[in-house]
Each structure stands twice: as C-alpha cells, then as structure tokens.
Amino acid sequence: MNKLLDETLSIETAERINSRASTPFDNAYKAALSTEGARYIQGFLAFVGKPYKPIEHSWIELGDASEVRIIDPTLPHLNKNPQELWYFAAQRLTVKKLKAIIEESKEDYPEDEPLPIYGEAPYEYYGDVMLGGQDYLAAYQAAEAKCKEINQLNPEIN
C-alpha cells in the first residue's frame, strides 16, 4: 500500500527548512526536528524514468496507523509528478531515537556524516552496496519490483 503523500505540506516543509536538492537525509532530519509528531523514515523511492531503479531516500511521516501521511521535504527538487512516486520504508525512527543516534554517531565517528542511519549489523547487500539489514533488503526489493513494473509499462519515458 502506498501511503498518502501530502504534497502541500511537503512543499511548505521544504520551504521552512530550506531543503536542498541532493540532501534528502538532512532534509528529512531537519523536517523531523521541526515537525511535531513526526517520524523519520529511510528507505527507497521508485518512480517512472531514469535511473530506472530505486533511489535511496528519506522523508517523514505524520499520523497514526489508520492514516499515515508522507511529508517529503525533498519533493520540490525531485521534478517528478507526485502521483507517480512510490515510497518504500526500510527504517522508522522517532525523533528522540534519531537525536540519540546522531549524537552517538558524531561522538564515535566525528569524521563521518551521521546520516543515513543503517541500524545494527549484520548488513545485507542491496544493489551494488552493502548497507542496512533485512528491512533494507526487503524495502529495496519491493522498490526494485515497482520500478520494473512502472518502467515496463512506460518504456518511452526517459
């Protein structure tokens, strides 16, 4: 099931946090910190066209289990039709947990960027990169299947 992307709130959030095109993880982090009740999500984004495979992405979610809305602070930079975006979550973090992980990462690995967060080892391979656990692999495979499905139906779109 694809959750509802709140296009209006995504754009408002992007403007509020001054989102940047190539930093979806930082954009989602800033949005999570500045949005009450938000959960930080990492996973994959599938859409029609190049690169014809899932891209690693991050966003936030609001709401409860009965109605979850996706807020994507990178949406204005994607240059894609919002109705043709599919989000596949691999990891969900509360703001409290997110802050704790970021603080610990900065302390333990000050030379590395703290985002994205991949959870506990052992890690699995998805694509050509070893990152994330079984949840990442499952999300990647679901997004990859969606990319194949939507791009097979629309081969003329670049």
Side-chain angles (χ1 to χ4, degrees):
M1 178 185 94
N2 201 32
K3 296 173 183 168
L4 178 65
L5 173 63
D6 189 325
E7 185 178 354
T8 302
L9 194 51
S10 293
I11 293 167
E12 289 172 5
T13 302
E15 291 171 357
R16 181 170 36 89
I17 65 162
N18 296 316
S19 76
R20 295 180 307 185
S22 61
T23 60
F25 302 102
D26 288 337
N27 293 341
Y29 174 68
K30 290 176 190 172
L33 295 180
S34 67
T35 307
E36 189 173 334
R39 288 172 305 285
Y40 172 88
I41 315 297
Q42 282 183 192
F44 298 93
L45 184 59
F47 49 83
V48 174
K50 291 180 181 177
Y52 306 108
K53 63 181 181 180
I55 61 168
E56 195 170 15
H57 198 65
S58 191
W59 59 93
I60 63 173
E61 290 181 353
L62 292 173
D64 58 21
S66 65
E67 186 179 321
V68 176
R69 292 180 298 147
I70 293 172
I71 312 304
D72 185 348
T74 310
L75 180 65
H77 308 289
L78 295 175
N79 300 316
K80 300 286 180 189
N81 178 346
Q83 285 75 41
E84 294 179 350
L85 297 173
W86 289 269
Y87 293 81
F88 296 86
Q91 182 171 211
R92 290 179 169 84
L93 298 170
T94 65
V95 171
K96 182 178 179 180
K97 178 80 172 167
L98 176 63
K99 284 181 177 179
I101 291 171
I102 295 294
E103 286 176 25
E104 183 180 337
S105 296
K106 285 181 178 179
E107 193 173 293
D108 292 348
Y109 307 101
E111 67 283 353
D112 294 336
E113 289 293 325
L115 292 171
I117 298 166
Y118 293 109
E120 302 295 323
Y123 295 138
E124 299 289 333
Y125 286 90
Y126 65 78
D128 297 326
V129 183
M130 179 190 78
L131 295 172
Q134 283 294 325
D135 291 344
Y136 265 86
L137 187 59
Y140 180 80
Q141 289 171 338
E144 186 177 45
K146 186 65 175 180
C147 282
K148 287 178 182 174
E149 171 195 328
I150 60 180
N151 285 300
Q152 185 175 26
L153 296 174
N154 298 294
E156 73 282 354
I157 299 176
N158 292 326

